[in-house]
C-alpha cells in the first residue's frame, strides 16, 4: 500500500485500497525415485506436476488510467514433465577418483500465460496471451580427486540447451528461439589439521529469462518496438572460506564470496514487457556458528553482509534496488524424548529501494516460536508466528502511483506490505 494512504488515515496499517485484489493457485505433483546400489550406483528421478495461477494486482491505482484504474490480472497454466539420471564410478589412477556423470531434462507446456486489463476484478481487455513450450536438456560430469589424504579436489563441467516456442496473441511476438551454455566449476578443500578445513570454489552458471522475451518485437502495452533478450545469461562466482571445530560440538565457518552476472535481464510480468538491466557485481561475507552442547540442545547463528552494484552505471546511481545488505539469524532447538521446542529470530537491515540510495527500506525483525510432539506416524505442532507482534514492513518499494484526486503525474512514495500480525498456527503431519 502507498505509505501516504496509511499515514493520512485513509486506510489502517493492514487495510487495502482495491477490494478486488487477490488470487488463487493450484499445484498437483508426483515424483518417482529409483536407486540401484552396487559398485557403480545409479539414481533416477521422474516427475510431473500441474500448476495454475491467477492473480489480480493494482500497483499504481489511477496513474495510467485515471478513469478505469490500473488493475490487471495475470494467469499461468502449465504442465511440467522432467527427469534426471546419474551414475557414479570409482577409479584408482594412482590416487582415488570418484566420477559422477548424468543428464536431466525438463519440459514446460504453458497454455495460456497471459496479462489482462481488469476492473472490479473482471477482465476488460487482453494485453497479451501466449502459449509457450519450453524444453531444456543438460548433461554434467563431476570428478572428485584425493591427491593427498588431507586434500580434496572437485572438477566439474555442465552443458545446457534450451528451446522456446512462443505463440502469441500479438503475431509479431511469436517465434522460436534456442540457446546453449557450458558451465565449468572447480573446488579444493584442504585440512591442514584435524580441526580446520580451508576451501576455495570457482563456478560458472546461468539464469534463464522468460521465453517470451526471446521472441518479443513489440511492447504489448503501447505497441512500441521492443528488443529481444538473451535466453541464458552467464554468472561467474568465487568463494573462499575456513571451517573450524575448536571444541566438541562447535562448528564455526567464515566465507567470502563474489558473484558477477553478465546481465540482470528479466521479464516484467506486471508490464508485459522485457526489462533489460545491465551487468552487476555482488560480493560479501558470511559468518556462521553451530553449537550442540548437549544431545538435546542445538544453538545456531548466522550473519551475512553483502554489497550489490550495477557495473554499467555511474557511482552513486548504481545501487541494485531491493538487494539485501545485512541479515542476522539465530535460533535454539531443544528436544526431550518425543517433545521439541524452538525459537528463531531473523533481522533484515536497511537496504536501497532506489538506485541512488537516497531512500532505504527500514529494518525488519521477527521472532517465531514452535513446539511439537511426535506420536510416531503423527506429528503435532503449534507455531507462534511474529511472536512479539512486530509492526515492521516485510516489503518496501519506491515508485510513482496515483490515488483518486491526486495530480495526474502521480506521487513518488514508499509502497509497503506490513508483516502479518501475531498468529497461532496448529498443524498435524501424518507419515504414511
Amino acid at each position: 500500500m502507498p505509505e501516504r494512504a496509511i499515514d493520512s488515515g485513509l486506510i489502517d496499517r493492514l487495510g487495502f485500497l482495491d477490494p478486488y485484489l487477490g488470487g488463487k493457485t493450484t499445484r498437483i505433483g508426483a515424483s518417482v525415485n529409483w536407486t540401484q546400489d552396487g559398485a557403480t550406483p545409479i539414481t533416477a528421478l521422474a516427475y510431473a506436476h500441474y500448476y495454475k495461477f491467477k492473480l489480480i494486482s493494482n500497483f499504481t491505482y489511477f496513474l495510467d488510467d485515471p478513469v478505469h484504474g490500473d488493475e490487471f490480472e495475470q494467469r499461468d497454466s502449465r504442465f511440467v514433465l522432467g527427469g534426471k539420471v546419474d551414475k557414479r564410478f570409482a577409479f584408482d589412477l594412482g590416487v582415488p577418483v570418484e566420477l559422477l556423470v548424468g543428464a536431466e531434462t525438463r519440459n514446460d507446456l504453458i497454455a495460456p500465460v497471459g496479462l489482462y486489463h481488469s476492473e472490479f476484478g473482471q477482465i476488460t481487455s487482453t494485453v497479451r496471451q501466449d502459449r509457450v513450450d519450453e524444453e531444456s536438456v543438460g548433461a554434467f560430469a563431476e570428478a572428485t580427486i584425493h591427491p593427498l589424504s588431507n586434500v580434496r579436489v572437485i572438477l566439474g563441467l555442465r552443458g545446457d540447451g534450451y528451446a522456446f516456442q512462443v505463440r502469441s496473441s500479438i503475431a509479431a511476438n511469436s517465434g522460436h528461439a534456442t540457446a546453449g551454455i557450458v558451465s565449468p566449476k572447480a573446488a579444493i578443500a584442504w585440512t591442514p589439521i584435524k580441526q580446520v578445513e580451508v576451501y576455495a570454489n570457482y563456478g560458472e552458471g546461468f539464469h534463464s529469462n522468460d521465453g517470451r522475451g526471446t521472441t518479443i518485437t513489440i511492447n504489448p502495452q503501447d505497441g512500441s518496438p521492443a528488443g529481444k533478450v538473451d535466453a541464458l545469461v552467464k554468472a561467474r562466482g568465487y568463494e573462499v572460506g575456513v571451517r573450524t571445530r575448536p571444541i566438541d560440538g562447535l562448528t564455526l565457518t567464515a566465507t567470502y564470496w563474489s558473484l558477477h552476472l553478465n546481465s540482470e535481464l528479466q521479464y516484467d510480468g506486471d508490464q508485459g514487457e522485457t526489462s533489460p538491466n545491465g551487468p552487476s557485481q555482488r560480493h560479501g561475507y558470511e559468518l556462521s556458528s553451530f553449537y550442540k552442547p548437549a544431545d538435546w540442545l542445538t544453538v545456531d547463528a548466522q550473519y551475512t553482509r553483502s554489497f550489490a552494484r550495477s557495473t554499467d552505471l555511474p557511482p552513486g546511481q548504481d545501487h541494485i534496488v531491493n538487494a539485501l545488505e545485512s541479515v542476522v539469524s539465530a535460533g535454539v532447538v531443544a528436544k526431550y524424548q518425543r517433545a521439541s521446542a524452538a525459537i528463531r529470530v531473523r533481522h533484515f537491515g536497511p537496504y536501497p529501494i532506489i538506485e541512488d540510495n537516497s531512500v532505504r527500506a527500514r529494518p525488519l525483525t521477527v521472532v517465531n516460536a514452535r513446539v511439537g510432539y511426535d506420536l510416531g506416524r503423527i506429528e503435532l505442532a503449534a507455531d507462534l508466528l511474529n511472536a512479539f507482534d512486530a509492526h515492521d514492513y516485510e516489503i518496501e518499494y519506491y515508485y510513482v502511483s496515483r490515488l483518486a484526486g491526486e495530480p495526474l503525474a502521480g506521487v513518488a512514495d514508499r509502497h509497503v506490505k506490513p508483516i502479518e500480525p501475531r498468529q497461532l498456527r496448529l498443524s498435524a503431519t501424518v507419515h504414511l
Side-chain angles (χ1 to χ4, degrees):
M1 296 296 106
E3 193 169 52
R4 62 187 184 278
I6 300 173
D7 293 342
S8 68
L10 179 62
I11 59 174
D12 64 30
R13 191 179 67 88
L14 300 175
F16 54 86
L17 293 170
D18 187 339
Y20 298 95
L21 305 187
K24 58 183 179 181
T25 183
T26 301
R27 181 166 179 164
I28 304 171
S31 63
V32 177
N33 290 279
W34 176 78
T35 301
Q36 178 183 345
D37 296 323
T40 58
I42 302 174
T43 62
L45 165 69
Y47 61 87
H49 70 249
Y50 168 74
Y51 170 78
K52 191 172 185 179
F53 169 88
K54 171 186 174 182
L55 179 65
I56 300 174
S57 304
N58 191 343
F59 296 128
T60 51
Y61 305 102
F62 293 93
L63 179 66
D64 297 328
D65 189 337
V67 177
H68 300 286
D70 301 344
E71 185 184 285
F72 62 92
E73 180 175 318
Q74 299 172 85
R75 291 190 178 187
D76 188 328
S77 179
R78 67 178 67 194
F79 285 97
V80 179
L81 305 172
K84 177 181 178 181
V85 61
D86 61 57
K87 187 176 180 64
R88 293 183 179 273
F89 302 88
F91 304 95
D92 189 347
L93 303 177
V95 295
V97 177
E98 301 166 7
L99 179 64
L100 172 69
V101 296
E104 61 183 313
T105 184
R106 171 171 167 158
N107 295 270
D108 288 59
L109 308 175
I110 312 167
V113 55
L115 178 66
Y116 313 89
H117 291 301
S118 63
E119 186 177 9
F120 308 122
Q122 301 297 317
I123 292 176
T124 57
S125 63
T126 298
V127 178
R128 70 176 299 175
Q129 180 173 286
D130 304 279
R131 173 174 178 172
V132 181
D133 295 338
E134 179 177 337
E135 301 175 357
S136 66
V137 61
F140 55 89
E142 178 184 280
T144 302
I145 308 167
H146 301 269
L148 299 172
S149 60
N150 62 346
V151 176
R152 182 177 70 256
V153 177
I154 300 175
L155 301 174
L157 188 66
R158 179 185 177 97
D160 289 273
Y162 278 70
F164 305 90
Q165 179 69 50
V166 179
R167 300 186 246 329
S168 177
S169 59
I170 303 173
N173 287 338
S174 299
H176 178 76
T178 59
I181 196 167
V182 175
S183 306
K185 76 171 185 178
I188 184 170
W190 174 43
T191 307
I193 58 176
K194 184 178 180 181
Q195 294 82 9
V196 177
E197 181 181 69
V198 181
Y199 58 89
N201 302 321
Y202 168 82
E204 296 183 8
F206 65 93
H207 71 78
S208 61
N209 283 308
D210 192 301
R212 292 169 291 180
T214 66
T215 61
I216 192 171
T217 59
I218 294 177
N219 184 329
Q221 291 283 5
D222 57 19
S224 61
K228 299 178 182 179
V229 302
D230 294 332
L232 308 178
V233 178
K234 182 174 285 294
R236 184 176 295 106
Y238 310 83
E239 180 184 64
V240 294
V242 59
R243 183 180 296 109
T244 180
R245 299 175 179 85
I247 61 175
D248 289 343
L250 176 62
T251 301
L252 303 175
T253 305
T255 304
Y256 174 82
W257 58 270
S258 177
L259 176 66
H260 174 77
L261 294 176
N262 284 0
S263 170
E264 297 207 7
L265 295 172
Q266 62 183 6
Y267 184 84
D268 186 348
D270 299 333
Q271 294 295 323
E273 63 180 354
T274 299
S275 301
N277 296 318
S280 66
Q281 180 69 44
R282 303 166 188 258
H283 65 96
Y285 57 87
E286 302 177 2
L287 305 174
S288 66
S289 62
F290 180 89
Y291 186 39
K292 195 175 181 66
D295 290 341
W296 57 273
L297 182 63
T298 301
V299 182
D300 70 274
Q302 300 84 33
Y303 173 72
T304 66
R305 177 68 172 160
S306 62
F307 306 86
R309 299 291 186 271
S310 297
T311 57
D312 63 339
L313 297 176
Q317 304 291 326
D318 57 350
H319 288 76
I320 297 179
V321 172
N322 293 108
L324 294 177
E325 294 184 342
S326 62
V327 179
V328 179
S329 176
V332 178
V333 178
K335 294 184 178 182
Y336 177 73
Q337 295 182 353
R338 292 178 176 270
S340 64
I343 187 168
R344 176 160 293 277
V345 58
R346 291 182 300 158
H347 173 80
F348 299 87
Y351 54 87
I353 55 175
I354 190 169
E355 287 81 358
D356 64 6
N357 199 31
S358 60
V359 184
R360 294 173 63 82
R362 288 151 297 199
L364 161 68
T365 303
V366 61
V367 177
N368 297 325
R370 177 185 178 94
V371 293
Y373 194 83
D374 188 355
L375 297 173
R377 293 179 59 184
I378 300 176
E379 182 181 354
L380 305 177
D383 291 274
L384 185 61
L385 306 179
N386 191 7
F388 294 104
D389 201 26
H391 284 193
D392 298 334
Y393 294 118
E394 63 180 359
I395 299 175
E396 291 193 40
Y397 296 111
Y398 189 81
Y399 59 87
V400 175
S401 64
R402 178 180 179 269
L403 305 181
E406 290 184 334
L408 291 177
V411 177
D413 193 10
R414 295 176 185 261
H415 292 73
V416 298
K417 179 186 182 301
I419 188 172
E420 294 185 3
R422 179 172 51 220
Q423 57 185 283
L424 178 65
R425 179 178 300 168
L426 305 177
S427 64
T429 304
V430 178
H431 302 278
L432 301 178

